[in-house]
Amino acid sequence: MDFRRRVTESLLFVFLFSIPAAYGQGLTFALVSKSLQDANFIAAARGCEAAASEDGNHCLHVGPEGAAHFRSQDLAIRRLLKQDVDGIALSVTNGAYLARQSLKQVTKRNIPLITFDSDLPEDLHFLRSAYVGPDNRVIGQQLGGIVNRFMDEGTLCLMSASPFDTNLNERLMGVRQALTGDPKPDEPGLLAGENGWTETGRCPWYNADDKSRAVTQVFTAYTYEHSDAIVSVGAWPLLDDNRLREALLPFRDSLRSREKLFILATGGLRPQDYSLMDEGLIQGFVSIDFEAMGRTSYDVLKRLHEGRAVEEYWPTPVIQVLPEPAPVTGGESTQPE
């Protein structure tokens, strides 16, 4: 075991065992995210804890330090299971791996388990009681709907974090469905001329949850892959917004005229995100309400703890955000403030 991994495990151990002792009475639920540093999951944890505190209960935020990785998430779950917890909400990285590892212990201990943001694969749904969050295929369809608004055909580069993430793969599929009008494009689904769309070169590109790599991939897709449209199914390039602006400036005129497109899915929008859109460097967002996801996750876990029946799917808000107030096929739009 290398030094960095030992430090990560030590930090995780301290995090898990120092916080609950301070909580005292009440139920304790855990929100297991893909990364403790991800702003979207911080928002989800904030919503979960706010809802729990209203009832005198608590919601821990548990997950890997740094970049998301399924082995680190599995370790976080194993550490969590060393204490008493009344329910777990999990944003799934690699569902098949987790099912073979730590989720076996969750099932054995009969701890209520739900998923949020990213669900388990369909053949593993029996391991959880409910899924909280948006329909990720619809997120992809809304991203593709923004592309369709500005461009009828062209070359496309899709960007994601990992080929293992169920929710991100569903978003990729949704984009392809929107662009081709095909509700069930063949796996692996790479577009090769369908309805005028072709995925370029090495795309889809995976950034391993690395914001710097994501920005480099954006520049490379425009420069060397000659992509007309880039669709990122997550917010990774936005996390280094100054460097992203520099990477997009050589293509500013083409982006402003919408000869090229750059469209992303993200959580709540920040002022710097609106600035990039106002400058014409981004043509639209699909914004996901992670705080609502956290609040709803707490509500579902509390119901399960009380022995109440719950619905299998609990949808949370998603909206399209565009640079001008016009309707977009496949979803609601909103004008930036």
Side-chain angles (χ1 to χ4, degrees):
M1 182 183 297
D2 61 27
F3 175 75
R4 183 169 60 182
R5 182 174 176 185
R6 288 198 301 270
V7 170
T8 298
E9 291 189 5
S10 298
L11 288 171
L12 184 59
F13 184 88
V14 171
F15 176 80
L16 287 174
F17 288 93
S18 61
I19 293 180
Y23 276 163
Q25 300 299 315
L27 300 173
T28 298
F29 300 105
L31 199 77
V32 182
S33 70
K34 297 179 182 180
S35 170
L36 292 175
Q37 278 71 48
D38 189 302
N40 293 328
F41 291 122
I42 291 172
R46 183 170 60 245
C48 186
E49 175 59 17
S53 64
E54 292 172 3
D55 296 329
N57 297 323
H58 310 286
C59 183
L60 304 177
H61 184 197
V62 178
E65 294 277 353
H69 194 279
F70 60 89
R71 294 184 188 276
S72 300
Q73 189 179 50
D74 182 66
L75 173 63
I77 297 170
R78 290 179 182 276
R79 294 292 194 190
L80 176 65
L81 293 176
K82 293 183 181 293
Q83 63 177 305
D84 291 330
V85 62
D86 298 297
I88 297 172
L90 170 66
S91 178
V92 178
T93 49
N94 185 333
Y97 179 85
L98 295 175
R100 295 193 303 268
Q101 303 295 328
S102 54
L103 294 189
K104 285 185 176 181
Q105 293 301 312
V106 174
T107 301
K108 184 177 180 179
R109 289 181 52 180
N110 201 30
I111 298 172
L113 174 69
I114 66 172
T115 54
F116 77 101
D117 170 58
S118 179
D119 201 1
L120 287 161
E122 189 171 354
D123 62 336
L124 295 174
H125 282 182
F126 68 93
L127 292 173
R128 51 75 164 157
S129 297
Y131 165 70
V132 174
D135 183 328
N136 283 287
R137 191 163 295 202
V138 170
I139 290 175
Q141 290 168 351
Q142 291 196 7
L143 289 166
I146 299 175
V147 175
N148 283 332
R149 171 185 173 84
F150 299 122
M151 194 174 286
D152 295 327
E153 60 182 16
T155 53
L156 170 72
C157 186
L158 295 173
M159 296 189 169
S160 185
S162 164
F164 299 113
D165 289 59
T166 305
N167 64 327
L168 302 180
N169 289 336
E170 290 174 349
R171 294 178 194 179
L172 294 176
M173 189 67 69
V175 175
R176 294 175 179 130
Q177 289 175 339
L179 295 182
T180 64
D182 183 355
K184 293 183 179 180
D186 294 336
E187 294 288 357
L190 299 178
L191 301 183
E194 292 87 345
N195 205 29
W197 287 100
T198 300
E199 293 184 54
T200 55
R202 291 166 283 180
C203 302
W205 252 339
Y206 300 103
N207 56 52
D209 212 37
D210 185 323
K211 63 182 181 181
S212 178
R213 182 183 299 179
V215 172
T216 299
Q217 289 172 343
V218 170
F219 179 81
T220 303
Y222 283 136
T223 304
Y224 301 109
E225 301 292 341
H226 307 293
S227 301
D228 296 321
I230 295 176
V231 178
S232 177
V233 298
W236 310 282
L238 294 173
L239 302 180
D240 194 350
D241 56 285
N242 289 328
R243 187 163 169 261
L244 176 61
R245 179 179 282 102
E246 293 176 3
L248 293 174
L249 281 178
F251 315 102
R252 178 174 54 189
D253 291 343
S254 295
L255 288 164
R256 286 179 172 176
S257 65
R258 291 161 185 170
E259 295 173 19
K260 290 187 180 295
L261 302 176
F262 185 35
I263 296 158
L264 306 94
T266 186
L269 292 176
R270 309 164 302 168
Q272 54 265 47
D273 302 327
Y274 283 118
S275 293
L276 287 166
M277 186 165 61
D278 291 341
E279 293 170 36
L281 300 177
I282 291 176
Q283 285 65 53
F285 298 97
V286 173
S287 178
I288 305 162
D289 192 337
F290 276 84
E291 191 158 342
M293 227 181 288
R295 295 187 69 92
T296 305
S297 293
Y298 164 74
D299 184 47
V300 176
L301 286 173
K302 182 170 177 284
R303 289 168 184 254
L304 288 170
H305 179 79
E306 294 169 348
R308 299 161 63 186
V310 300
E311 298 290 334
E312 185 176 7
Y313 176 41
W314 295 70
T316 56
V318 174
I319 59 170
Q320 290 176 327
V321 183
L322 302 171
E324 56 188 39
V328 176
T329 301
E332 179 184 354
S333 64
T334 184
Q335 172 76 357
E337 298 176 353

